Amino acid sequence: MKSKRSMKKVFIRTFGCQMNEYDSERMLALLKGEYIPCREPKEADLILVNTCSVRKKAEEKVYGLVGRLKHLKRTRPEVIIGVCGCVAQQEGEQLLKRLPHVDLVLGPQAVYRLPEALEKIARGKGPVVDTRFHKDFRQPLILPELNGDRPVKAFVTIMQGCDNFCTYCVVPYTRGREISRPPEDILAEVECLVRQGVREITLLGQNVNSYGRKEKGFPSFAELLREVASVPGLWRLRFTTSHPKDLDEDLMRCFAEVPELCEHLHLPVQAGSNRVLKRMHRRYTREEYLSRVKKLREISPEIALTTDIIVGFPGETEEDFEQTLTLLEEVRFDEIFSFKYSNRPLARSTAFEDKVPEEEKARRLARVHALQDRITREINESYLGKVVEVLVEGKSPGNPALWTGRTRTNHVVNFSGPHGLKGKLVRVLIEDCGQHSLRGRVENSQ
Ligand code: SAH
Ligand code: SF4
Ligand code: F3S
């Protein structure tokens, strides 16, 4: 390893989902020994932008940021600029036409070949475009090494890609077909993180409940959950994202039977109208979704649910939209992530003709927000006076006099308490709440 002084500097900026965050960490781990991270692009020898193209806005941000790096490249031509992730996959070579100052285009499944690509560029063989998909998930296992400010929680990717082809979605094209990671690699990574003090793991994939279905001899997702939960020293386990069509009873029962599994499920519904769900190719009906929610609540009455909603999908009428509102009323999600529909290249719905006007989408989004704000507030108020278990993540970013952490139901709690609570499980009395968080004081620590 080189001395810190002689090491080059890397700046990395991550957009998009947790899988991208995970990939960015892997890239930094691959560069260890050659590069140290820095805070500003202007200090960097290597700039990596890990991109998202799930909605138009996300993609535009990338072009804005990478476009602005042109000046930097002009004054310091030796700086290497890389675009990674989903926009890289979607655009491939084309990206170099639009952004000729880019040296490297790396798709999400190619991030593991970053060192190879950098070596090529160093030999004058750039620019490099690598958007190859691989057939299995057996790239070298890079065990994470946590330094300095050790995190209490971490993500572990268990599968890549998606086979669902919802008509609005770009992910199957940018992340490729579903492939599951060998269970022994997942367990080795979880054990390594826990040895370093991580107490909460979130297993990641675009559709985790189809884990292992295509691979011979792999456990089911429910079996994998039970195995991961039994790693000694792991206190909390979560996973995301689940597709409602694949949520079976075996998995639901884990919420009652696996003590480490936290009572929270993100279950994207997208829309409340069967007509819209059908055109989205979601492959469940409103009734099926609601019956799964009912079953889940029978098995785990405390479970908190969150969801994703798209408003203004092509052809969504006022009546269809009203059904999204009634579904929100009926389920009473703890939190939702709602988006205006946007056309994505390659997604089938881009060719649908009956687009909803922009102002109408904005109006529907505002109605969804108003309704959900009320429901979230009511749910938050129901915590007042209760004592909840919180895993302490550190000081609250908004107020360093307070600690911050989450309940098992994934609600953020900011609270007062004695020194040295980071990484501990504490019981917190909830005394106040806002729209996005609960507030309280510690009762006692374990
Ligand atoms: N795999 C997950 C999430 C995928 S992307 C799932 O199946 O639910 C995250 C969210 O972005 C989606 O749930 C959807 O609500 C939203 N989204 C995806 N494509 C979109 C588009 N073209 N326009 C608006 N929102 C979109
Ligand atoms: Fe996209 Fe649908 Fe796959 Fe989720 S399940 S990533 S929304 S295609
Ligand atoms: Fe975005 Fe790709 Fe994730 S499109 S949401 S970064 S899978």
Side-chain angles (χ1 to χ4, degrees), residues 369-407:
H369 283 165
L371 169 59
Q372 186 58 39
D373 281 356
R374 171 173 64 73
I375 296 171
T376 299
R377 203 170 51 244
E378 287 167 4
I379 292 177
N380 286 350
E381 282 166 2
S382 73
Y383 278 87
L384 294 176
K386 284 193 183 152
V387 173
V388 291
E389 182 203 272
V390 175
L391 176 60
V392 189
E393 291 165 26
K395 292 288 163 106
S396 161
N399 180 354
L402 298 179
W403 293 103
T404 191
R406 282 176 190 254
T407 63

Side-chain angles (χ1 to χ4, degrees), residues 49 62 159 200 205 212 286 298 311 381 385 420:
V49 185
V62 169
M159 58 196 299
E200 177 179 310
R286 172 194 181 97
E298 279 163 19
V311 298
E381 282 166 2

